[in-house]
């Protein structure tokens, strides 16, 4: 158990270090847009702690002040592991609070305030929309080098998810993309229905970053690492960079940013599961 806690703490630090290495900020749909009014603010607290409140939920305390959401709600998370992760984000801030690096806090705010006022079915529909335009389902017809790269790198992941969920997806070089069978959509709909609202918030965030349901589920199911999923989502861009070169600092920042957001989203999905599930995963790890 002690090793599991150390590993979990290292996960928090890895996400935070990725965020710190990435000074630029790009808003990405609702989850990133829904943050605090300013991107930076002077640190106004000394100590960060967590406490258990009503209904067994956990709260974040900045000195003696209880953290609240942008919508004015008391900031409460479903389990201790997620509370520790959020508290770590706040504790890692220095003289200036860089809210754009605090992805777990932002995802919690989104789950608590639900600024778009969507229910679970609407969230699932939004996630499944990406299946119709999934990154790894769209293939080029030229140049030959990129055609071969997509086939070698994307096909194994596509075969894995088709076998894993017993579905047919396929790929296409047509601008319309592959024709996804209704049975496939229904299978994924049932699978996403097994997630709670908090986990769906994180999963949709990851799907938005990678523009891919396939890569996102591959990472959440631990078939792919964060680095692998990000690289596969940028396969065409990386091919062009290797061929034509790149603006070095811009490429590095974009890569760090995408890795940080994707890692935070995946961690949020894991930590926002039911408490018993989280504890079980920690024991298994």
């Amino acid at each position: 158990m002690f090793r599991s806690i150390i590993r979990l703490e290292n996960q928090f630090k890895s996400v935070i270090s990725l965020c710190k290495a990435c000074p630029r900020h790009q808003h990405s749909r609702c989850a990133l847009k829904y943050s605090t009014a300013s991107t930076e603010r002077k640190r106004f607290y000394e100590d960060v702690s967590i406490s258990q409140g009503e209904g067994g939920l956990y709260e974040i305390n900045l000195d003696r002040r209880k953290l609240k959401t942008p919508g004015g709600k008391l900031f409460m998370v479903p389990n201790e592991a997620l509370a520790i992760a959020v508290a770590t984000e706040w504790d890692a801030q220095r003289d200036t609070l860089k809210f754009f690096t605090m992805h777990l806090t932002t995802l919690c705010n989104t789950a608590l305030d639900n600024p778009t006022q969507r229910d679970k079915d609407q969230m699932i529909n939004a996630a499944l929309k990406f299946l119709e335009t999934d990154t790894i389902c769209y293939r080029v017809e030229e140049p030959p080098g990129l055609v071969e790269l997509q086939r070698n790198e994307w096909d194994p992941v596509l075969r894995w998810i088709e076998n894993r969920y017993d579905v047919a997806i396929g790929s296409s070089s047509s601008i319309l993309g592959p024709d996804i069978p209704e049975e496939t959509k229904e299978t994924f709909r049932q699978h996403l229905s097994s997630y709670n609202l908090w986990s769906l918030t994180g999963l949709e965030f990851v799907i938005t970053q990678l523009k891919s349901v396939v890569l996102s589920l591959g990472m959440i199911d631990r078939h792919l690492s964060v680095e692998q999923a990000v690289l596969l989502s940028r396969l065409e861009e990386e091919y062009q960079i290797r061929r034509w070169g790149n603006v070095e600092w811009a490429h590095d920042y974009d890569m760090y940013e995408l890795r940080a957001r994707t890692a935070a989203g995946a961690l949020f999905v894991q930590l926002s599961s039911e408490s018993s599930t989280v504890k079980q995963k920690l024991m298994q790890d």
Side-chain angles (χ1 to χ4, degrees):
M1 182 64 177
F2 178 75
R3 291 180 180 176
S4 298
I5 293 174
I6 294 297
R7 184 172 296 135
L8 186 60
E9 182 179 359
N10 289 336
Q11 283 183 291
F12 300 157
K13 291 179 179 177
S14 297
V15 172
I16 291 169
S17 64
L18 281 170
C19 295
K20 286 183 175 179
C22 168
R24 293 197 316 162
H25 172 52
Q26 298 174 354
H27 289 292
S28 177
R29 299 203 175 210
C30 179
L32 274 181
K33 289 178 180 177
Y34 189 64
S35 187
T36 47
S38 60
T39 56
E40 293 188 5
R41 179 183 174 186
K42 184 178 176 61
R43 179 165 171 159
F44 58 89
Y45 55 90
E46 292 292 332
D47 299 315
V48 183
S49 62
I50 66 172
S51 58
Q52 194 166 15
E54 296 181 6
L57 301 177
Y58 286 83
E59 303 168 355
I60 310 298
N61 307 302
L62 306 178
D63 294 332
R64 295 184 178 180
R65 306 173 186 174
K66 293 184 181 296
L67 184 63
K68 292 188 176 181
T69 70
K73 293 182 179 179
L74 184 62
F75 190 102
M76 298 186 295
V77 299
N79 58 62
E80 186 178 17
L82 184 54
I84 293 173
V86 172
T88 303
E89 280 191 332
W90 285 87
D91 192 49
Q93 302 299 306
R94 297 305 177 225
D95 294 336
T96 302
L97 306 181
K98 300 183 184 299
F99 293 108
F100 55 83
T101 68
M102 301 168 72
H103 301 305
L104 295 175
T105 299
T106 299
L107 285 166
C108 288
N109 284 333
T110 302
L112 287 165
D113 282 347
N114 190 13
T116 55
Q117 297 300 304
R118 294 182 303 164
D119 59 25
K120 190 171 179 178
D121 287 339
Q122 290 172 315
M123 294 177 68
I124 292 173
N125 288 337
L128 288 177
K129 275 291 182 183
F130 280 91
L131 186 61
E132 301 171 4
T133 58
D134 201 286
T135 296
I136 74 169
C137 293
Y138 279 79
R139 306 298 176 87
V140 299
E141 295 181 319
E142 57 181 21
L146 182 54
V147 172
E148 183 179 6
L149 184 64
Q150 289 181 339
R151 182 172 59 249
N152 292 340
E153 297 297 330
W154 284 349
D155 279 1
V157 183
L158 201 53
R159 287 196 297 270
W160 169 82
I161 198 166
E162 288 180 330
N163 291 331
R164 165 74 172 81
Y165 291 95
D166 191 23
V167 295
I169 299 176
S171 62
S172 173
S173 58
S174 166
I175 192 172
L176 299 177
D179 186 14
I180 308 294
E182 288 301 320
E183 293 82 0
T184 296
K185 295 178 183 178
E186 183 57 30
T187 296
F188 283 121
R189 182 180 302 280
Q190 291 179 11
H191 176 68
L192 294 181
S193 295
S194 67
Y195 287 80
N196 61 40
L197 283 170
W198 283 65
S199 296
L200 273 176
T201 299
L203 180 58
E204 186 185 6
F205 179 78
V206 172
I207 292 172
T208 301
Q209 304 312 307
L210 301 178
K211 306 295 187 293
S212 171
V213 174
V214 175
L215 294 177
S216 297
L217 290 179
M219 188 179 61
I220 298 300
D221 287 349
R222 300 185 182 184
H223 177 71
L224 299 171
S225 67
V226 171
E227 290 76 12
Q228 288 173 323
V230 167
L231 186 60
L232 289 172
S233 75
R234 293 169 51 94
L235 197 63
E236 184 172 354
E237 184 176 353
E238 293 299 319
Y239 173 84
Q240 299 297 347
I241 286 172
R242 287 199 298 268
R243 187 176 183 185
W244 303 108
N246 68 291
V247 180
E248 185 174 349
W249 63 268
H251 169 263
D252 291 343
Y253 285 153
D254 287 346
M255 181 66 82
Y256 272 124
E257 232 175 53
L258 184 55
R259 282 181 182 174
R261 293 194 301 265
T262 303
L267 185 58
F268 184 84
V269 173
Q270 178 186 2
L271 298 182
S272 59
S273 302
E274 294 295 334
S275 299
S276 58
T277 303
V278 172
K279 291 178 181 178
Q280 183 180 5
K281 287 182 179 178
L282 288 175
M283 293 297 290
Q284 289 174 348
D285 289 345

